[in-house]
Amino acid sequence: MKVLPLAAPAREGAWFIAVGAGAAATHAAVFWLAQHALLAELANALGFIVAFFVSFAGHRWLSFRDAATGMGQSLLRFALTALAGFALNELVFSALLRLAHWPSWLALVAAMLVAACQTFVLGRYWAFRR
């Protein structure tokens, strides 16, 4: 069956959202479990580390499955992309938590949404470039 020109971007976007939601849920679950034993920023970092693997696997094999980059190159690029996203996440999270005094869950959700936008752009046009 021939794929229509708009079908590929729509499929890519749908998979990106699904994988991102799974990674975000993983991140949030690890944060929730760890926040009582760790400083909130460290619980956030632990959640990021665990969710990184969910995110990479899902994006490599689902969101950007027609990537022209090799596995090693994609992993390195995605790691850099994810670290940039996490740096932004942690900055937004800390600012909202410590300066604006938002509840940790609300700060985490806002930070993950901001970082997701950056991650999509860098993932699509660099880490998993076609």
Side-chain angles (χ1 to χ4, degrees):
M1 181 170 157
K2 186 173 182 175
V3 177
L4 299 174
L6 293 179
R11 183 185 68 242
E12 177 181 281
W15 275 120
F16 183 84
I17 291 168
V19 169
T26 301
H27 187 147
V30 172
F31 173 82
W32 181 78
L33 291 169
Q35 72 175 332
H36 305 291
L38 301 172
L39 185 68
E41 289 84 356
L42 293 176
N44 186 30
L46 183 60
F48 162 78
I49 290 166
V50 175
F52 170 83
F53 296 101
V54 172
S55 187
F56 176 75
H59 289 316
R60 175 66 189 181
W61 287 296
L62 298 170
S63 305
F64 307 114
R65 63 178 169 227
D66 57 348
T69 54
M71 181 67 71
Q73 185 180 36
S74 289
L75 179 58
L76 177 61
R77 287 180 177 184
F78 188 72
L80 293 173
T81 296
L83 287 171
F86 178 68
L88 181 61
N89 169 298
E90 191 76 341
L91 181 67
V92 170
F93 177 72
S94 252
L96 294 174
L97 183 68
R98 305 291 177 200
L99 301 177
H101 306 288
W102 284 25
S104 61
W105 275 100
L106 188 56
L108 181 67
V109 169
M112 287 193 303
L113 288 172
V114 169
C117 294
Q118 175 184 319
T119 301
F120 176 79
V121 171
L122 290 175
R124 169 66 179 87
Y125 295 103
W126 185 59
F128 300 106
R129 184 178 61 216
R130 293 186 176 93

